[in-house]
């Protein structure tokens, strides 16, 4: 089935800003609370949010096999379960409805009043109920930098790293949408040179520049997903800030890996950009440095040219961009990650979220964490307001943005924006 929604020549009758992340060729999916306090599934074109539940009830998806309540839910999980054929039919139909040459909705003001919202009239929600969350460790540059810091340059990568997409299972209950603030975590630490264990607020709170892909129902218990089929089960991607407390992490991660240093919060952008929308931006990824086992070998372009950037905004000051990276730097791609995740028969469900791991490029200005950008705090970064940062300070806001850009279109993710608050304080009764 062709992806007609991607036609670069298509124009919309909606008034959209130049260089928007959300042209009619994007058509992402999300969940929002409307001005009438109704939660609905929707999409976005330009600076308009579109109520798909209302659009469906008004008959605009006639001919597409959808249940009556498919868009009248507070998560996208059931829609994602319907599979790629349905996703594509719906995106194609939305593109037709809002095409400049289609007058059906354009000239029906009553329907437009029901279906269209400006962004200040809605409140974005977490787009999926995340049943399970896996975080990978798939950037060679990031893994090398961290290994160099905490071991030595000769043994920066552990022996397994070039043979498998390393990952761990994280905590889904603390995955939050953009705009929800995060409190500074506290826990056990062993400061450098100290002989006594400490406890208190983390002094090394960090961001991790990641992306995450969301899956549909993919396999039965015991059934691996072949690498050539993996993309059939990937709905789309979001920006992903996997918050980290480096001092807590250093003390706790041996022998079982990240725990409290990671599970206090992970922030996601609210609009899921489909793999179909990203199709024009496929690109080659890094070539394997070791011969891979057959189940991890793939053909074709499995990476995507997604430009990424991170900024810090101190309270009441302008933001400073600290890093510009790219999703294409990932050594292990999504198909390899999903094939490896299920090679042992692990079932994958609708709404599961798979973090890429920190995305760092080959130069210091492309590093994806403060740990690397300030090199363990040894090289503080100067912000526009004259202050310096080794790690994230209270009341700083971390902003991540991502977009693909070609000569005929731009497809973006918007942003994930999160403020770090001081340690949570119980109110006195």
């Amino acid at each position: 089935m062709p992806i007609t929604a991607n036609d670069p020549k298509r124009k919309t009758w909606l008034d959209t800003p130049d260089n928007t992340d959300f042209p009619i060729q994007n058509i992402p999916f999300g969940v929002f609370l409307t001005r009438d306090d109704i939660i609905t599934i929707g999409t976005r074109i330009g600076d308009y949010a579109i109520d798909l539940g209302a659009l469906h009830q008004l008959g605009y998806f006639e001919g597409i096999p959808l249940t009556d309540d498919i868009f009248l839910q507070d998560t996208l999980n059931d829609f994602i379960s319907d599979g790629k054929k349905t996703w594509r039919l719906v995106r194609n139909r939305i593109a037709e409805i809002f095409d400049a040459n289609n007058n059906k909705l354009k000239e029906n003001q009553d329907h437009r009043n029901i279906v269209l919202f400006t962004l200040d009239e809605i409140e974005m929600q977490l787009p999926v109920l995340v049943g399970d969350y896996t975080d990978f460790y798939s950037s060679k540059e990031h893994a090398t930098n961290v290994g160099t810091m905490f071991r030595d340059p000769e043994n920066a990568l552990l022996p397994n790293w070039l043979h498998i997409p390393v990952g761990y299972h994280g905590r889904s209950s603390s995955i939050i949408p953009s705009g929800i603030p995060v409190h500074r975590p506290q826990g056990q630490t062993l400061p450098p040179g100290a002989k006594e264990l400490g406890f208190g607020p983390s002094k090394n709170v960090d961001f991790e520049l990641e992306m995450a892909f969301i899956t549909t129902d993919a396999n039965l218990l015991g059934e691996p997903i072949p690498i050539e089929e993996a993309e059939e089960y990937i709905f789309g991607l979001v920006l992903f800030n996997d918050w980290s407390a480096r001092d807590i992490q250093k003390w706790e991660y041996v022998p079982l890996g990240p725990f409290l240093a990671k599970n206090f919060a992970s922030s996601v952008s609210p609009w899921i950009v489909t793999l179909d929308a990203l199709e024009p931006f496929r690109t080659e990824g890094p070539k394997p440095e070791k011969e891979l086992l057959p189940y991890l070998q793939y053909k074709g372009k499995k990476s995507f040219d997604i430009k990424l950037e991170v900024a810090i905004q101190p309270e009441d000051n302008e933001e400073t961009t600290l890093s510009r990276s790219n999703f294409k730097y990932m050594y292990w791609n999504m198909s390899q990650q999903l094939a490896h995740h299920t090679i042992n028969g692990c079932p994958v469900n609708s709404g599961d979220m798979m973090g890429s791991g920190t995305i760092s490029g080959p130069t210091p200005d492309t590093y994806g964490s403060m740990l690397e950008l300030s090199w363990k705090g040894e090289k503080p970064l100067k912000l526009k307001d004259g202050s310096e940062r080794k790690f994230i300070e209270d009341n700083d806001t971390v902003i991540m943005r991502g977009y693909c850009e070609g000569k005929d279109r731009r497809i973006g993710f918007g942003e994930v924006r999160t403020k770090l608050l001081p340690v949570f304080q119980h109110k006195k009764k």
Side-chain angles (χ1 to χ4, degrees), residues 104-276:
K104 184 177 180 181
L105 178 61
K106 178 183 178 181
E107 297 183 354
N108 191 326
Q109 191 61 52
D110 289 341
H111 284 189
R112 288 174 59 174
N113 291 341
I114 296 170
V115 167
L116 294 176
F117 295 83
T118 56
L119 297 183
D120 60 356
E121 295 179 303
I122 65 166
E123 182 179 312
M124 297 304 300
Q125 309 292 304
L126 194 66
V128 292
L129 176 63
V130 184
D132 284 298
Y133 154 50
T134 299
D135 193 32
F136 287 95
Y137 189 52
S138 291
S139 161
K140 182 170 181 277
E141 290 81 2
H142 174 69
T144 300
N145 288 337
V146 174
T148 298
M149 288 181 209
F150 294 114
R151 286 187 295 276
D152 65 82
E154 296 299 318
N155 298 292
L157 292 180
L158 291 172
N160 64 354
W161 201 93
L162 292 171
H163 296 277
I164 60 172
V166 174
Y168 73 96
H169 295 291
R171 183 74 180 170
S172 61
S173 64
S174 54
I175 295 177
I176 54 175
S178 176
I180 302 297
V182 169
H183 285 277
R184 180 177 296 273
Q186 54 185 340
Q188 295 185 18
T189 60
L190 187 66
K195 295 182 179 180
E196 296 294 328
L197 185 65
F199 177 85
S202 168
K203 296 178 180 178
N204 300 154
V205 174
D206 199 357
F207 61 78
E208 289 190 339
L209 172 62
E210 302 192 25
M211 300 201 71
F213 66 87
I214 290 94
T215 65
T216 186
D217 306 285
N219 58 331
L220 301 173
L221 180 66
E223 177 189 10
I225 298 173
I227 194 165
E228 61 271 14
E229 297 178 15
E231 287 188 353
E232 294 298 310
Y233 303 104
I234 298 174
F235 177 63
L237 289 90
V238 293
L239 300 171
F240 193 76
N241 179 0
D242 193 25
W243 290 89
S244 300
R246 300 300 185 184
D247 42 0
I248 295 174
Q249 181 179 357
K250 186 177 180 181
W251 170 240
E252 73 176 3
Y253 83 103
V254 177
L256 293 181
F259 186 33
L260 302 185
K262 299 277 191 175
N263 71 3
F264 64 97
S266 299
S267 305
V268 302
S269 54
W271 294 106
I272 304 175
V273 178
T274 63
L275 230 54
D276 274 358

Side-chain angles (χ1 to χ4, degrees), residues 294-314:
Y295 80 94
L296 290 171
Q297 295 176 9
Y298 64 93
K299 297 178 181 178
K301 297 177 179 180
K302 297 295 184 183
S303 294
F304 294 87
D305 184 4
I306 304 172
K307 296 175 175 64
L308 301 167
E309 58 185 53
V310 188
I312 289 181
Q313 184 177 20

Side-chain angles (χ1 to χ4, degrees), residues 44 87 170 180 279 381:
R44 177 175 173 178
W87 314 334
I180 302 297
E279 187 67 32
L381 301 176

